[in-house]
Amino acid sequence: MSALAQAAVDTPPQDLAQWYLRQILLAPVYQAAKVTDLDPLPKLSQRLGCELWLKREDQQPVHSFKLRGAFNCIQSLSDAQRQAGVVAASAGNHAQGVALSAARLGIRAVIVMPATTPEIKVDAVRRHGGEVVLHGDSFDVAYQHAKFLAADEGFTLIPPFDDPAVIAGQGTIGQELLQQQRQLDAVFVPVGGGGLIAGVAAYIKALDPSIEVIGVEPEDAACLKAALEAGHPVDLEKVGLFADGVAVKRIGEAPFAVAQQCVDRVVTVTSDEICAAVKDIFEDTRAIAEPAGALALAGLKRYRQGREDSQKLAAILSGANVNFHSLRYVSERCELGEGREAVLAVTIPEQKGSFLRFCQLLGQRAITEFNYRLADGDSANIFVGLRVSGAQELAAISSLLNEHGYAHQDLSQDETAKLHVRYMVGGKPPKAINEKLYHVTFPEHPGALLQFLTRLGQRWNISLFHYRNHGAAYGRVLMGLECPQGLEHDLSQFLAALPLECREVTTSPSYQYFLK
């Protein structure tokens, strides 16, 4: 443990904010980082009935706030440590922050990245002067190799968040915020490992405790929320990967010590709400945030739901290192996140003119999608997307359909429908089969789909399969497997043994309507 880390541990909890205030004021981050803008968001401010600002950390040389903490940590090293060099494990923004910081200080930097890391991120690290070592298929494997290199070759391991020097570097954002806009009611901060919110919260609470500091996490990666409820850091069983910049299973020990004292509350949001926030940022600033970068604004919007008081609020746009191809997914989901699109399963008569009569019933409402396949029998299930103004209009549509005898179900919150079924062709099997349906997630790289099928083997018959490349770090598959009666336990054990995330979704309403 470094002397600085020991000093943080030895500081009484009630004095942590003041201790970090001093570290933040002394942090020389501007040798590499820059003061970023605090931009007003006029369109969204008008919509939410308050005054909003966005702290633009996408303007940093590495398009992420991570540069601040990395530089502050590396510049604090001794001469001997600098001469030996540094090592870090990262597949994203921390890697670029360490590489550029080391280059500015003339220090050798080795960055261990999973072999599945997209080439665009590998090239970015190399451009900033980092030596890239590709190792393993996941961050955990890469991190263990980085620790091995540190021990074997004498490198200093630069942590992404769990370090007082890193926290102090990130805390300079709080310093700039209060200099740029003194009158704030609350500041919204994205949370991954906790380094950013710890630094910002410590600075703000040391100077103006009346300003609320609110952490924002994805619903499926809420490690700070879990730690606050438990009273200590805990490991999440698994985390969602959409906002990969904050996909952390356990909050850092040093950040948690600060968060317990200085963070007022935590808000969680869905992936669709994050997509909607990406769109809001673009419409007001023309900046394109990565999902983790838009997280804080998504939380701000969730916080403002149902509130009519005039407030002055700021959110941190933490990064913009987004894979361009993933924007397709963001675009598709943002309207759902705003509650401005609904997807429904509707049963209509299997006869000529049924679709026309259904559209006539909806009147001038915009239909965004209509999926249908001829089926046997007297009725058919259709998949319909509708443009709506919100929950009230959706309820009115539901009442209208009931009034005219159209059986239907709202699938707007059904992940299977939104991610897979709306893009699939075909229909129901010609005969009843004992089929189990699964969501499978695996690291995305060339040959990944073939590797997945090879691991699956030939014991189980694939009865349904849908894969779509979203330009993300992980591939997503919807898969049906034919399971003979009595072998359900064997199938579950077989899938549990695979090194993949596999979740059964046989009860999905969209599957029952369209595919079973």
Side-chain angles (χ1 to χ4, degrees):
M1 181 181 292
S2 69
L4 190 66
Q6 187 62 56
V9 171
D10 293 340
T11 300
Q14 65 272 19
D15 298 333
L16 265 180
Q18 290 295 332
W19 185 86
Y20 271 107
L21 172 63
R22 175 177 172 79
Q23 304 306 318
I24 292 166
L25 291 174
L26 293 174
V29 300
Y30 301 108
Q31 296 175 36
K34 60 173 286 187
V35 175
T36 56
D37 294 340
L38 184 66
D39 285 349
L41 301 178
K43 294 180 181 178
L44 189 58
S45 294
Q46 184 176 18
R47 209 167 85 215
L48 299 184
C50 57
E51 293 182 65
L52 306 181
W53 289 270
L54 191 68
K55 184 61 173 163
R56 296 284 305 278
E57 285 300 290
D58 59 302
Q59 295 175 344
Q60 293 295 352
V62 297
H63 307 294
S64 160
F65 77 98
K66 287 286 189 179
L67 176 61
R68 297 174 184 261
F71 186 87
N72 195 49
C73 186
I74 294 173
Q75 66 81 34
S76 70
L77 300 180
S78 67
D79 290 341
Q81 288 174 316
R82 293 188 182 205
Q83 188 172 0
V86 298
V87 65
S90 172
N93 295 335
H94 180 57
Q96 296 184 55
V98 170
L100 180 58
S101 297
R104 291 286 175 90
L105 294 168
I107 298 172
R108 180 187 178 194
V110 176
I111 312 296
V112 184
M113 310 182 81
T116 55
T117 304
E119 193 66 27
I120 186 173
K121 294 185 177 181
V122 175
D123 290 342
V125 172
R126 287 175 174 151
R127 281 199 308 272
H128 292 308
E131 301 174 27
V132 176
V133 174
L134 298 176
H135 185 88
D137 288 339
S138 68
F139 170 77
D140 290 335
V141 176
Y143 180 65
Q144 291 303 317
H145 188 62
K147 290 203 297 185
F148 166 77
L149 291 177
D152 188 58
E153 300 192 30
F155 295 129
T156 297
L157 183 66
I158 305 300
F161 49 80
D162 199 3
D163 182 90
V166 172
I167 292 171
Q170 321 300 26
T172 57
I173 295 175
Q175 180 182 9
E176 292 173 22
L177 260 173
L178 294 193
Q179 290 171 345
Q180 292 165 322
Q181 177 50 250
R182 178 65 187 85
Q183 301 298 322
L184 288 172
D185 294 301
V187 175
F188 292 78
V189 187
V191 180
L196 176 59
I197 194 167
V200 171
Y203 186 89
I204 289 176
K205 291 301 183 181
L207 292 182
D208 190 346
S210 69
I211 300 175
E212 273 198 289
V213 179
I214 301 174
V216 186
E217 298 183 292
E219 288 182 351
D220 54 7
C223 64
L224 175 56
K225 181 174 182 286
L228 290 172
E229 290 172 352
H232 56 84
V234 296
D235 288 322
L236 300 179
E237 184 177 345
K238 58 182 180 180
V239 296
L241 300 169
F242 173 60
D244 58 350
V246 292
V248 177
K249 288 187 176 182
R250 183 185 179 94
I251 198 76
E253 298 284 346
F256 180 70
V258 179
Q260 273 190 308
Q261 302 298 318
C262 302
V263 174
D264 294 284
R265 68 175 87 180
V266 175
V267 175
T268 60
V269 296
T270 66
S271 294
D272 289 351
E273 288 174 313
I274 295 172
C275 291
V278 172
K279 180 185 177 185
D280 290 322
I281 290 171
F282 176 77
E283 290 187 340
D284 256 322
T285 69
R286 291 300 184 262
I288 300 177
E290 62 185 89
L295 179 61
L297 187 65
L300 185 156
K301 291 171 60 184
R302 168 71 72 92
Y303 166 86
R304 282 293 299 178
Q305 287 179 2
R307 297 182 68 115
E308 297 182 358
D309 54 325
S310 179
Q311 292 180 298
K312 295 182 178 182
L313 308 174
I316 297 174
L317 194 176
S318 58
N321 287 306
V322 61
N323 185 327
F324 179 79
H325 298 291
S326 67
L327 294 175
R328 172 176 56 186
Y329 175 87
V330 172
S331 175
E332 290 167 352
R333 300 291 288 257
C334 62
E335 294 298 300
L336 288 163
E338 282 285 4
R340 299 190 178 198
E341 184 185 22
V343 290
L344 306 173
V346 183
T347 303
I348 66 173
E350 184 68 279
Q351 56 187 237
K352 294 180 179 179
S354 291
F355 180 37
L356 174 60
R357 288 191 292 274
F358 173 74
C359 293
Q360 289 172 335
L361 177 65
L362 295 176
Q364 298 301 310
R365 294 184 177 90
I367 294 178
T368 59
E369 188 169 356
F370 184 87
N371 292 322
Y372 162 74
R373 188 176 186 275
L374 181 68
D376 295 330
D378 299 326
S379 62
N381 293 322
I382 60 174
F383 187 104
V384 184
L386 296 173
R387 188 85 64 202
V388 295
S389 59
Q392 191 171 4
E393 184 178 5
L394 179 57
I397 292 173
S398 181
S399 296
L400 182 66
L401 294 175
N402 284 331
E403 181 183 338
H404 288 80
Y406 285 95
H408 64 281
Q409 182 164 356
D410 182 13
L411 301 179
S412 303
Q413 304 304 318
D414 181 10
E415 195 65 18
T416 302
K418 295 185 290 184
L419 192 59
H420 294 286
V421 172
R422 71 191 306 176
Y423 304 110
M424 295 177 69
V425 295
K428 300 181 179 182
K431 62 179 181 179
I433 59 175
N434 188 31
E435 184 178 54
K436 300 293 183 181
L437 194 70
Y438 298 90
H439 275 162
V440 183
T441 304
F442 54 84
E444 186 68 276
H445 57 86
L449 185 58
L450 176 60
Q451 187 180 72
F452 163 67
L453 292 171
T454 302
R455 283 174 172 168
L456 192 63
Q458 300 183 27
R459 179 181 177 187
W460 307 96
N461 181 48
I462 297 176
S463 52
L464 177 152
F465 199 88
H466 177 254
Y467 162 78
R468 190 163 183 255
N469 190 318
H470 293 283
Y474 286 81
R476 298 178 177 91
V477 162
L478 182 69
M479 174 180 68
L481 295 177
E482 192 171 357
C483 181
Q485 293 288 347
L487 294 182
E488 290 85 358
H489 180 68
D490 290 358
L491 176 59
S492 296
Q493 283 194 317
F494 171 78
L495 293 174
L498 293 177
L500 304 164
E501 182 182 332
C502 190
R503 178 169 57 91
E504 185 176 356
V505 291
T506 309
T507 58
S508 164
S510 57
Y511 169 67
Q512 302 293 330
Y513 263 91
F514 298 106
L515 303 172
K516 184 173 173 59

